[in-house]
Each structure stands twice: as structure tokens, then as C-alpha cells.
Amino acid sequence: MSAIDRFPALGAWRDAGEFVTVRGRRIYCRRDGAGPRLLLIHGFPTSSLDWAPIWPMLTSRFEVLTFDLLGLGFSAKPRGHRYRVSEQADLAEAVAHHYGWNAAFVLAHDYGDTVAQELLARSDQNPAHAALRVLRLCLLNGGLFPETHRARLIQRLLASPLGPGLVGLMSRRSFARSLNALFSPARPLGETAIDEYWALLQHEQGLHAVPSLLGYMAERRRERSRWVGALQTTESPLRLICGALDPVSGLHMSQRYRQLVPRADVVLLDDVGHFPQLEDPDSVFAAAAAFFIGDDERTGA
């Protein structure tokens, strides 16, 4: 029995999806529901499991597709690999193409926000020939602006040249402490959920990928003009749903968003931290569904 099989929720999530080979990599994907097409892109250091609390609500209204980013969750975790945001965006396009999608609404979180910004930039550059047209983009907490991203000390250390040595010292206890620091004090992550995420991070020796994956922080600084510019110039509607209590990308990030993004549409969740879809799935669903398909459709009017 693998570590994954010791956790029924993990096994059930895995077994409800499938593994497909795209761009030469084995990628975990899950698709369900009917309606407008909605692509979900998760963050770091978690997986598509982040969407589990909101999954039944979303699939009642949308045809929903999600996948585990390369290096995370159940997807391939190649050793010695240079993980790059552009490659993850390529992967998102390839997964969508595998299922016959060429356009979709997008809901993204954390690292997934950055991948979505790259997809938006590509979609806007050549709308008629984009591999995946972003019709509407809804963003949850993430480092949209490098100047407002308050990385935790452990993130900075793991992303440094010390990272490959330090990653071997990570423990379930230190992981739990770092992860729960991102949640609202009133909505902490449960011990079982921490065990599940720790098992996923370790799955197929995945800890080795962590330092390289964290290279996205430097990429955000290098590509700021492209990725922030995509938010400022796109004609695709945007919405930010932000947990205000997130110490990394919370209220201060939403304030910067209002300064920089024209016609800023922001839904602020006052008592929520970095993981709105886990901490308050009902509010996230209500705000996202209203944005994607309108209040009349959402309420059944």
C-alpha cells in the first residue's frame, strides 16, 4: 500500500480522475460536470485537491477541468528539472487540447495565478490563433505583483542556493506550521488535511522538486511587465476574490490590484486567509459563479 492509499480522500480524488500523457509527461487530470467550460489551476505546494470542497458546486454549473501542475500532486516530478511558468502554461494548453478545449473560463489560485497570467498574455496577443482563449479570468490569492508578494522565510531559503540541502530537512511538523500560518486563525487547516497534503508533496519523492518550483518568485520579477501588463490591457473580464487575512498576498495585494488594474473588480473576504476555496468554499463559489455566468443563472432566476 502506498502512502496515498492510507488516506481515503486522496485515493478517491485520484481514482475519480485519470492520467494522460501530454508533452511527454504523465499528468493527472480530472473532468466532470456540464455547462460552460471552466479550467481550474491550483497553487504551490499543493495540488488539484485544493478544489475538492468547491468541486460539487462547480460541476453543478460548469464542465470543469483541472490537473496537477508538473512537479506537484499526482503528476510527474522529473528530477533535476528546471520548472518554469511558461512550461506550466504550455501544459495547461496541452491538457485543454487533449479534451478538445480551445477556450474556457479560468479560475486560478496562488502559483496558478501566475500560470493564468501567462495564458492571458498569450490569449490577448493573438486571440484568433491562441491555443487556449481565456474568456474570463477569476483569480484567488496569489503573487500577482512581485512588489506586494511577502514570501515566507522558508520560501526564500528553499528558493536560494541552500534549497536543495534544506529540503531534506523538511518535516511534517515544519510543513504544518508553514501551511497553517497562511490560514485565517478562525479557519485552520485540519490535521487530516495536513497529512494529505504532506503525503502528496512527498509522493514519488516530490520534495526534490520544491526548490526549482519556487523559481517562480524570481520569474515574477523578471516577467513583471508581461504578466502585470496582461491584467492591465486585457479585454477579457477579470475578478479578484481575495482572502484579506492572507499574510503573503492578502488585503495589501488587493489594494495594489485596485491601483493598477483598470475597472478593478474585487470581492474581499474579510475573515479568510490564503486559501479561500478551502476556508470559505460557499463564498468563493457564489462570487465566481456570479462572475462567470451571472446572478440570474446562479440563483436559478
Side-chain angles (χ1 to χ4, degrees):
M1 177 184 290
S2 73
I4 298 300
D5 293 318
R6 292 200 293 269
F7 301 98
L10 281 187
W13 184 262
R14 177 196 60 199
D15 295 344
E18 63 179 339
F19 290 90
V20 302
T21 301
V22 293
R23 298 181 64 84
R25 304 292 189 186
R26 188 169 183 258
I27 302 299
Y28 173 78
C29 304
R30 184 170 179 182
R31 181 177 63 153
D32 200 1
R37 289 172 169 174
L38 173 62
L39 177 67
L40 310 180
I41 310 176
H42 71 84
F44 173 90
T46 51
S47 77
S48 60
L49 186 68
D50 288 351
W51 306 112
I54 200 173
W55 188 261
M57 291 180 275
L58 291 174
T59 56
S60 73
R61 293 287 184 170
F62 303 92
E63 179 183 355
V64 185
L65 172 61
T66 192
F67 65 101
D68 286 346
L69 292 164
L70 190 67
L72 293 166
F74 294 117
S75 288
K77 299 173 179 178
R79 294 192 70 89
H81 189 71
R82 281 185 82 200
Y83 293 90
R84 293 293 179 265
V85 170
S86 60
E87 179 186 33
Q88 304 284 19
D90 291 343
L91 186 67
E93 291 175 341
V95 166
H97 179 76
H98 176 85
Y99 290 98
W101 292 21
N102 59 13
F105 299 145
V106 177
L107 174 62
H109 174 243
D110 187 75
Y111 181 27
D113 286 355
T114 309
V115 178
Q117 285 172 272
E118 172 60 23
L119 290 173
L120 186 66
R122 297 179 184 187
S123 179
D124 288 348
Q125 279 177 342
N126 194 351
H129 298 95
L132 179 67
R133 286 192 300 120
V134 178
L135 302 177
R136 285 177 170 253
L137 173 58
C138 185
L139 300 159
L140 304 179
N141 294 62
L144 303 179
F145 315 105
E147 65 269 25
T148 61
H149 183 244
R150 297 174 180 172
R152 311 296 286 183
L153 176 60
I154 186 61
Q155 288 180 297
R156 297 197 298 271
L157 290 173
L158 287 171
S160 77
L162 299 174
L166 291 174
V167 75
L169 301 177
M170 287 180 64
S171 67
R172 191 268 186 199
R173 182 178 179 181
S174 63
F175 175 73
R177 184 169 57 250
S178 296
L179 195 59
N180 249 331
L182 303 179
F183 282 72
S184 162
R187 304 171 187 264
L189 194 60
E191 293 298 313
T192 299
I194 292 171
D195 287 338
E196 291 168 350
Y197 279 123
W198 180 239
L200 275 173
L201 193 59
Q202 292 182 298
H203 183 58
E204 296 189 352
Q205 299 182 321
L207 284 174
H208 70 80
V210 167
S212 181
L213 282 164
L214 279 165
Y216 69 78
M217 295 191 295
E219 284 190 89
R220 284 171 175 166
R221 293 190 292 271
R222 290 195 301 269
E223 299 291 338
R224 185 190 185 282
S225 176
R226 174 176 174 83
W227 293 338
V228 175
L231 300 177
Q232 293 175 314
T233 62
T234 186
E235 295 184 4
S236 297
L238 304 174
R239 169 167 284 185
L240 171 65
I241 303 173
C242 182
L245 299 184
D246 174 9
V248 174
S249 302
L251 178 62
H252 62 287
M253 184 275 289
S254 72
Q255 292 169 339
R256 186 64 169 158
Y257 186 92
R258 292 183 188 276
Q259 291 173 350
L260 295 181
V261 177
R263 302 174 301 281
D265 177 356
V266 178
V267 176
L268 200 63
L269 304 178
D270 293 330
D271 61 344
V272 171
H274 183 71
F275 285 86
Q277 73 275 44
L278 295 178
E279 299 177 57
D280 192 355
D282 290 332
S283 292
V284 171
F285 171 71
F291 171 65
F292 287 131
I293 56 179
D295 285 322
D296 290 344
E297 180 78 14
R298 178 174 62 86
T299 59

